[in-house]
Amino acid sequence: MPSLRAAALTDIGRVRRQNEDRFLHDAAVRLFGVADGVGGLPGGAEAAQHAIDIVDNYIRGLTNGQQPDLTAIVLQANSSVAELGQKLSPAMGIGTTLTFGHIRDGSLHIAHVGDSRCYGWRRGEFRRLTEDHSVENEARMRRARGEVVYYHEANRNALTRCIGQPTPPDVDLIPRALAAEDRYLFCTDGVTRMIPDSELATMISQPGEPEPVLREIIALAVRRGGPDNATGVLVYVDSP
């Protein structure tokens, strides 16, 4: 059984009238993550909460020794959120990002759809473990393969995948073997648009407990304008 310390925190920010972010912080089943209801659509908070509930209930419902199928969990969340969207917003639907990790068998198993992120810190090295499913980022990756891609600047942050879309999304799965003193940050774009990766790396490397570090991260995002909800879950691995 891994030895972990974790903290979770969310803030509405200074602009939004509602907090549409949600987080997973279920130490009993070693499940952590975030969901960010899609702005510009009604029902963002409901979409995020619904997706989080489905993931948590699925993992909690596993029997001893049963291995979860993270792709199946995410696709179940997608279809269920899409169905809820037909009730809450038939014309437009509802949507959310979903990025979570489940710790089992000495590894962190990450499932990811959208532009929330998971970062990993190990022995002084800080890495982004997920790729944003946004117009700008996917255009950048396609250009790196030699493709010619154009997009309108106004759409640069638009999602190319989300939970609640009519067709099942591709799910990114990222397995990562745990090591002692690893640190993992799950966060929404209300954090990452305000704090660059280099600064997050410095903050996460600080000694001490995860809660004050996370509180400092969220507070900094809000101090820098807080244009969006800011949410994070910070996990420290004492021993895998």
Side-chain angles (χ1 to χ4, degrees):
M1 181 74 69
S3 175
L4 309 170
R5 290 172 288 156
L9 186 65
T10 187
D11 193 289
I12 194 171
R14 294 180 173 176
V15 175
R16 304 285 187 177
R17 300 179 64 181
Q18 182 182 11
N19 193 337
E20 297 185 325
D21 285 0
R22 297 293 186 270
F23 59 73
L24 273 166
H25 178 204
D26 194 337
V29 292
R30 301 178 298 283
L31 180 65
F32 308 95
V34 294
D36 178 359
V38 175
L41 294 178
E46 290 83 354
Q49 186 65 58
H50 200 63
I52 289 293
D53 288 344
I54 286 173
V55 174
D56 198 28
N57 290 338
Y58 187 107
I59 295 297
R60 280 189 163 271
L62 295 174
T63 58
N64 288 338
Q66 186 178 359
Q67 295 297 315
D69 183 339
L70 298 191
T71 297
I73 297 172
V74 174
L75 295 182
Q76 179 184 340
N78 183 76
S79 62
S80 188
V81 170
E83 182 178 347
L84 179 63
Q86 290 303 304
K87 299 175 183 177
L88 299 181
S89 176
M92 301 179 65
I94 62 176
T96 182
T97 70
L98 181 61
T99 303
F100 68 91
H102 182 225
I103 293 175
R104 67 179 190 276
D105 302 327
S107 294
L108 174 66
H109 299 267
I110 302 165
H112 168 65
V113 173
D115 66 353
S116 297
R117 293 179 182 174
C118 178
Y119 294 93
W121 182 92
R122 175 175 293 172
R123 302 185 189 96
E125 180 185 1
F126 185 73
R127 290 181 54 200
R128 188 190 308 175
L129 303 178
T130 54
E131 289 284 352
D132 294 350
H133 300 146
S134 65
V135 168
E136 180 182 38
N137 195 52
E138 295 207 358
R140 178 186 60 80
M141 291 189 292
R142 290 173 61 187
R143 286 169 178 165
R145 297 195 295 265
E147 299 180 41
V148 178
V149 181
Y150 300 98
Y151 63 88
H152 195 284
E153 183 66 19
N155 296 327
R156 62 195 300 257
N157 293 321
L159 294 179
T160 55
R161 306 182 213 173
C162 74
I163 300 299
Q165 67 185 47
T167 57
D170 291 332
V171 182
D172 290 353
L173 299 179
I174 305 104
R176 182 174 167 93
L178 296 178
E181 301 184 358
D182 277 1
R183 298 180 178 188
Y184 295 96
L185 173 66
F186 297 86
C187 59
T188 60
D189 65 351
V191 172
T192 57
R193 292 186 186 180
M194 296 292 102
I195 308 175
D197 289 4
S198 59
E199 202 166 352
L200 284 173
T202 299
M203 299 172 82
I204 288 175
S205 67
Q206 298 175 29
E209 294 296 317
E211 183 175 357
V213 173
L214 182 60
R215 194 169 297 280
E216 181 182 354
I217 289 171
I218 300 300
L220 180 59
V222 174
R223 286 199 306 272
R224 288 181 173 172
D228 200 353
N229 313 141
T231 301
V233 179
L234 186 57
V235 183
Y236 288 7
V237 180
D238 293 323
S239 63

